[in-house]
Amino acid sequence: MTSPTTASGQPPPDYPTDWTFDVVVKDGATVRLRPILPDDAPGLQSLISRMGRESIYHRFFRIKTTLTADELAYFTQLNYSDRMAFVAIHEGQIVGVGRYDRSKEDPRVAEVAFAMADAHQGRGIGTRLLEQLTDYAREHGIEAFRAFVLADNHAMIRVFRNAGYLMHRELDEGVYTVEFPTADSPEVLAAEAEHEKRSVAASLLPVFYPNAVAVIGASRNPTSIGGRLFRNLLQGDFSGPVFPVNPNAEVVRSVKAYPSILEVPGRVDLAFIVVPAPHVMDAVDQCAAKGVKGLVVISAGFSEVGGEGAELEAQLLEKVRSAGMRMVGPNCMGVLNTDPVVSMDGQFGPLFPPRGNVGFSSQSGALGIAILDYTTRLNIGISTFVSVGNKADISGNDLLLYWEDDPATDVIVLYLESFGNPRRFARIARRIGKRKPIVAVKSGRTSAGARAASSHTGSLATLDIAADALFRQAGVIRADTLEQLFDVTALLATQPIPVGRRVAVLTNAGGPGILAVDALESNGLVVPELSEDLQVRLQEHLSSAAAVRNPIDMIASAGPDEYRRCLEELRHSDEVDSVIVIHIPAAPEGLDDIAAAISEAAAGYATHDKTLLAVMMRAGGAPRALAMGEVPVYRFPEAAARALARVVKHGEWRVHPDGEVPHLDGIDEKAANAVVSGALAAAEVDEDGLWLDPEDVDAVLRAFGLDLPRAAVAASADDAVAIAAEFESSAVLKVISPSALHKSDVGGIALDVAGESEVRQAFAAVTGAVPDASGALVQEYVPGGHEVIIGMTEDPTFGPLIAFGLGGVFVELIGDVAFRIHPLTDVDAAEMIGDVKSARLLEGYRGAPPGDIPALREALLRVSALVEAVPEIVEMDLNPVKVGAPGEGVRPVDARIRVRPVHGSWVPSRRDIPSAV
């Protein structure tokens, strides 16, 4: 987005430049919301002139035709704190404004008011302005809004109600006084999510369901991209007209061509642009003039090449959004929709996949071609496919919102190379995944993950760990490879999600059955021994040589009848949740009949909510009877077991409680922020920030109920002796040095020191361990307890990551650490502890003393709350944290906190929620 400026070329000094957002409204159009500028006075006057008498009366309680110079100055010249206003801009015009004025009598309350051009009422712009204004007001200490609304102004009351606010209304002489809190509530968040989903879905309809399309750059050369794309649209039987645009050809593939889209007769909903990058801008301008609603920019040469290409893409996006269009790409492969209502093959690859229930998004065009090839070979049916390319406008998040209520899509599959807004992705995916599974493969598992780290937590965190944490919290099924992606997708597209971990293995050979059992159990699934009753029923259909305990080895002589009958018995059994059926062809004949028997059984399994997977161990792949996609078919049992395990875990996530961010007592946000602000103001801070002094670290943690042992900094041995003498217990001395991250490695720490002589010796030892020591921290010694680490590091893409693991000197040696993306819920905190294998020690493993696990969970939540309240914190180590016996609590005994100004860093805020683009 571009930053607005005044006539002088710069916005006012206090202008909040990071509060400009492009949002999608109810009818799918794009509208820009930004803080008002003094130079907006003419635009505001124009808005008043486009408002009808009734709208003017509802806003000002009297009829006005213009605003006076004083009024315009008052409405446009603000301090952006006590007085604030956002304007909504569509196609270069101000079409709406929302504002608040803080009450002088009660600074926690502000009066709010809105004005909207008549032609733009009912589009949801007022709701978007209210959401934006509410977020801004809350961040500036305003706890409630008050509005004065005429009794017959039903539209304004509806805006407040539709936003999910719990209103208090009082009617006095025909005027309602409406009050509502600015704080989040489940109702507000649900309303915002619903508005976002409907708006984005509406904006994408011209892309997926156009009535007419044009190909700008359609070519008569059948091998060119423009030629292949145009051919695919024609051969795919697109339901509407396809117009080729080519100034150098009169006809393309027997279809009349046009030199410009402006000369195409009638309306065009969607335009594919396949011209060199320098000509894309002119094509977009013509599409805007034509009234095109959707663009698919195939052309490359934008941000993927960097430099001028990135600048060109920014200009392209500005044009697209200013015109209220939506865009796929640039640098993409295209879009397709298999729905026979539209039947659009708008991509330049050679294959059009079978119709099905899988929505597929690929960030790579080349891989998109391979993906369509594999889906066709594996008969995985596609509903819609989008190659998002550079994701300048339409992103994976937008597609998720479209697919959420798309009746043709039951499974969502993503190939990702990067995240645009990970927090928004997690929020959307968590909601959608409860109804429609999302499968993703994320490339870049190791690149960009290594970075210089100055804390234990930072050295343990990588980009891939962050992605894993994101997927886990959002309920996304992560595949490590494209092969696994297709294995999982084939299962989800054809079978119900299992309700449990119990699996039966039915096979005609013992070896593959054993391999299947090993793979299932190593992936956390259960292969139970079947009851005697079920074994007897199975044995009735099989040879006496068969084994029926589970795995069920029918032996090589088993034919179609044995497969059919045994599968029927397992389908009706309540002892298993899934069945893997394995076949190795023992003879060239009979394979098709066995495949037909398995296919016949699959229909019954679907009606009983029981999951069936087939393994056909032959080089030729699935027989014809199983190739129609009714049951997923794998070549080896290990692949089937891995796919099933991932799907089972997803099913468990679906029924798992979401958790909530709890309210914690004993927190003083103002105190912590004051300490950090003071430290930053008192020092020259570079882009890396600074490490807080021990006293400041202690004050910040204490403000959030995380009390360190008593401590003070000693500049000399005499200081150390004096400090230690005040402790009732012995002391710990720790060197203070910017280079000594691992104090124990360099001899920079001395434990359990008592008496003047020992303290002096310890001070000399720890300060002499490194050349840049500035003294020592003398701290009370806390004996006993389990040692754990709680930490935080800021990922530039994902934001803050919270870490938990075995503490002390073993943290990096063992690496048994769990990560979650901030903010933590109570469920996240509990799961983090459970994920760490060594945390079993806290439960009293093999006679070890148990630890206070509830207090540890609370400590994790307090760290998350601290990160939320003080966004300047970018790195933190509490290591070790001593975990006492049950009821004794936890206590960090060593802590480091790095801070830097929030400018240019990740800032936690809910204002990413209303932004739909």
Side-chain angles (χ1 to χ4, degrees), residues 848-908:
D852 194 340
I853 295 177
L856 182 56
R857 288 198 296 265
E858 183 175 320
L860 284 165
L861 294 169
R862 287 185 179 275
V863 167
S864 184
L866 172 57
V867 172
E868 183 75 18
V870 189
E872 292 86 356
I873 296 176
V874 292
E875 204 163 355
M876 183 191 316
D877 259 355
L878 310 184
N879 180 37
V881 176
K882 292 290 187 76
V883 182
E888 294 183 359
V890 302
R891 197 170 192 185
V893 296
D894 196 6
R896 305 178 81 222
I897 297 177
R898 183 165 65 92
V899 297
R900 69 168 175 229
V902 296
H903 178 68
S905 66
W906 186 93
V907 183

Side-chain angles (χ1 to χ4, degrees), residues 534 537 566-576 605 608 610:
L534 182 54
R537 295 202 306 273
C566 288
L567 285 172
E568 186 72 8
E569 292 287 357
L570 293 171
R571 174 166 71 92
H572 289 288
S573 170
D574 60 0
E575 298 180 27
V576 295
Y605 270 68
H608 279 67
K610 192 159 288 186

Side-chain angles (χ1 to χ4, degrees), residues 212-214 241 243 258 261-269 289-292:
V213 303
F243 299 105
Y258 299 86
I261 194 172
L262 293 173
E263 299 184 38
V264 171
R267 189 181 74 180
V268 175
D269 300 304
K290 180 67 175 176
V292 173

Side-chain angles (χ1 to χ4, degrees), residues 683-699:
E684 293 186 7
V685 183
D686 60 19
E687 62 182 12
D688 292 328
L690 60 87
W691 290 97
L692 293 179
D693 293 335
E695 295 92 339
D696 289 342
V697 171
D698 180 72

Side-chain angles (χ1 to χ4, degrees), residues 341-397:
V341 170
V342 63
S343 189
M344 181 178 65
D345 188 3
Q347 49 87 33
F348 57 81
L351 295 171
F352 189 66
R355 184 187 180 195
N357 62 347
V358 178
F360 217 127
S361 168
S362 173
Q363 199 170 338
S364 165
L367 270 177
I369 296 175
I371 286 168
L372 293 182
D373 184 16
Y374 273 98
T375 56
T376 303
R377 291 174 183 270
L378 298 174
N379 204 47
I380 296 175
I382 298 295
S383 60
T384 44
F385 171 86
V386 184
S387 166
V388 293
N390 293 355
K391 302 190 301 182
D393 179 35
I394 294 175
S395 67
N397 291 338

Side-chain angles (χ1 to χ4, degrees), residues 30 65 72 129 182 214 226 464 467 483 566 574 641 684 780 879:
T30 303
T65 56
L72 286 172
L129 282 168
T182 61
D464 197 53
E483 182 181 15
C566 288
D574 60 0
E684 293 186 7
E780 282 183 305
N879 180 37

Side-chain angles (χ1 to χ4, degrees), residues 131-169:
E131 292 169 355
Q132 188 94 321
L133 206 61
T134 303
D135 288 346
Y136 192 91
R138 185 173 51 251
E139 291 204 2
H140 287 76
I142 293 173
E143 299 177 6
F145 275 157
R146 178 183 299 133
F148 298 102
V149 184
L150 289 173
D152 63 345
N153 190 355
H154 306 297
M156 198 68 251
I157 294 293
R158 188 161 50 247
V159 166
F160 295 145
R161 186 186 301 115
N162 289 346
Y165 295 105
L166 299 176
M167 299 183 296
H168 170 70
R169 291 189 293 176

